[in-house]
Amino acid sequence: MMKTSISWSLPCILVLSKRTSSFSPIRIQSQNFSNKLLRGPRGWSLSLSSTHAPHPPASSEAFTEQNKLGSVTLLIPSTDEDAGVYRSKFGEKSPVSCPSYLSAAKQLARKISHFSDGQIFTNVVSASDNDGDKDACLKANALIALGLTSPTDIRCLSEIFRERRTKQSLSPTPNMCQFAVECGTNTYAPIVGPYDEANPSIFATLVPWSDEAFGKRLSEQMNDLFHKQTSDEFALALMLFFNRFSGYNVPWVQHSIDVTWEKGIVQNAKEIFAMITKCGPCIAKCLNDDNCSQCIKALDKIDTRDQVTSYRTVVSFESELLRDFSLCILQKNNIFECKAEIPTLPKVKPMSTFRGKDMTTETARGIIIGHLADTKESLEV
């Protein structure tokens, strides 16, 4: 993995994003904004723009071509969430602690929008007999039930999942998935693309390059990410799904440096050959070094598209050999043909004042140093 220093012009460019926005009580429409950002570890955002337009209000408009990747519906308990009857584990590590499911779903919807650059339409609906809410659940490409545990809500969940499963069996579509998260001990047999845990195909096990096998592996990976109970991993899971089954590439997870069945034998062989011929000496030195080889083994156990986990792994084994290894493979030769554009979301307003005074280069630099004091984090990514 490559570690490259971020350089910038100060002042007025640093902001630890609070990422707030206004939303309607139930339905949330992803919005598009234009701005330039660099994303650091754990969701920090560095704004490179000195202009700002107010966030438009949330909309409940129908799915449009702008949201070409697909749609997500988050199904939350029918109980008044702001009354705090049920609390979500998403956000329990944040200063807010365990939020209501409505608050958690709103934040998850925001993250889905940010990760997809506004390409995914997200609904938040409650488990009820409301025809509009039920229709949103049945039509969504991805349906994620969150925290449904009451008998009434469970009946609603079971009915909707059953209808979607029936529809999928009669008219299969690859761009469809459903999961139940924090809904008791029953997993309600997830569906990911052509893979249905309740009715698994023999191809899912015996033919690892088949779509059914892709769906099975992704189902297990998404389930693991959901149960980490962070908004970043939640959004990542959905990006992996849409990248695989929507028919479009999702820039956030489009490129992978891993050897996978999804890439295919030809692409894997091409990349391995390029690594050996262009970076052979660097690879040999790294593999013969205990620290460097341990890092490679650790990265091999994870999906390197999980940027948070990858970052934590790399900074645990930093060395000159690892730097040279990454520099040759990822930057000088771009073995994996990766490319990335600066995301347009979230739109963050740069700081113009600090403690009642205008922001200056000296003050901005001092804020950076101050926020990094006594931490293990770095603004080098």
Side-chain angles (χ1 to χ4, degrees), residues 2 249-251 253-258 263-264 266-275 278-279 305 326-341:
M2 177 177 61
N249 290 325
V250 180
V253 295
Q254 176 182 354
H255 301 288
S256 171
I257 66 174
D258 306 314
K263 281 186 179 180
V266 174
Q267 183 64 22
N268 285 324
K270 176 183 176 182
E271 292 173 354
I272 293 172
F273 178 78
M275 289 173 62
K278 297 179 180 180
C279 302
R305 291 174 295 183
S326 303
L327 185 65
C328 182
I329 292 177
L330 299 179
Q331 185 167 333
K332 286 184 176 180
N333 296 286
N334 193 16
I335 300 295
F336 303 101
E337 301 175 351
C338 299
K339 60 181 180 180
E341 296 181 1

Side-chain angles (χ1 to χ4, degrees), residues 71-86:
S71 59
V72 175
T73 292
L74 304 178
L75 182 62
I76 62 175
S78 57
T79 307
D80 180 3
E81 289 304 298
D82 290 324
V85 177
Y86 297 113

Side-chain angles (χ1 to χ4, degrees), residues 64-277:
T64 66
E65 286 299 318
Q66 178 180 340
N67 314 109
K68 66 180 182 181
L69 294 178
S71 59
V72 175
T73 292
L74 304 178
L75 182 62
I76 62 175
S78 57
T79 307
D80 180 3
E81 289 304 298
D82 290 324
V85 177
Y86 297 113
R87 314 299 291 185
S88 172
K89 293 182 180 179
F90 285 90
E92 67 177 347
K93 297 179 182 178
S94 72
V96 180
S97 189
C98 295
S100 68
Y101 274 103
L102 178 57
S103 297
K106 287 180 178 181
Q107 172 63 6
L108 294 174
R110 282 192 286 269
K111 279 298 180 78
I112 292 169
S113 174
H114 296 165
F115 275 50
S116 68
D117 257 3
Q119 298 286 320
I120 296 175
F121 176 89
T122 303
N123 267 322
V124 177
V125 303
S126 61
S128 67
D129 294 329
N130 182 286
D131 290 339
D133 291 348
K134 184 176 180 181
D135 190 57
C137 292
L138 295 176
K139 290 183 177 180
N141 296 108
L143 173 63
I144 313 297
L146 295 171
L148 305 188
T149 55
S150 71
T152 302
D153 289 351
I154 290 298
R155 282 195 297 271
C156 177
L157 166 64
S158 300
E159 179 182 344
I160 291 173
F161 270 35
R162 185 167 53 251
E163 287 191 39
R164 285 173 59 89
R165 176 167 278 110
T166 301
K167 179 181 178 181
Q168 178 72 345
S169 63
L170 295 176
S171 180
T173 174
N175 196 20
M176 184 271 207
C177 79
Q178 61 187 38
F179 283 85
V181 181
E182 297 182 358
C183 294
T185 57
N186 193 339
T187 63
Y188 299 92
I191 296 176
V192 177
Y195 174 72
D196 184 351
E197 186 179 287
N199 303 289
S201 165
I202 191 172
F203 290 100
T205 303
L206 299 182
V207 187
W209 58 86
S210 66
D211 284 342
E212 290 83 356
F214 295 156
K216 180 181 180 181
R217 288 191 293 270
L218 186 54
S219 174
E220 295 168 352
Q221 183 179 8
M222 291 176 69
N223 193 59
D224 289 341
L225 289 169
F226 287 147
H227 283 87
K228 288 184 178 181
Q229 295 165 333
T230 71
S231 58
D232 281 354
E233 269 80 10
F234 188 96
L236 172 64
L238 289 167
M239 296 308 107
L240 292 172
F241 165 72
F242 283 106
N243 187 68
R244 179 65 207 176
F245 291 111
S246 71
Y248 295 93
N249 290 325
V250 180
W252 195 281
V253 295
Q254 176 182 354
H255 301 288
S256 171
I257 66 174
D258 306 314
V259 176
T260 65
W261 283 109
E262 284 74 10
K263 281 186 179 180
I265 296 176
V266 174
Q267 183 64 22
N268 285 324
K270 176 183 176 182
E271 292 173 354
I272 293 172
F273 178 78
M275 289 173 62
I276 295 173
T277 56

Side-chain angles (χ1 to χ4, degrees), residues 1-20:
M1 296 291 293
M2 177 177 61
K3 181 183 173 189
T4 305
S5 299
I6 298 176
S7 61
W8 51 73
S9 298
L10 297 172
C12 303
I13 63 158
L14 174 70
V15 60
L16 297 182
S17 171
K18 191 175 181 181
R19 299 179 182 177
T20 59

Side-chain angles (χ1 to χ4, degrees), residues 37 39 91 142 221 234 288 303:
L37 298 173
R39 289 178 181 167
Q221 183 179 8
F234 188 96
N288 286 324
D303 188 329

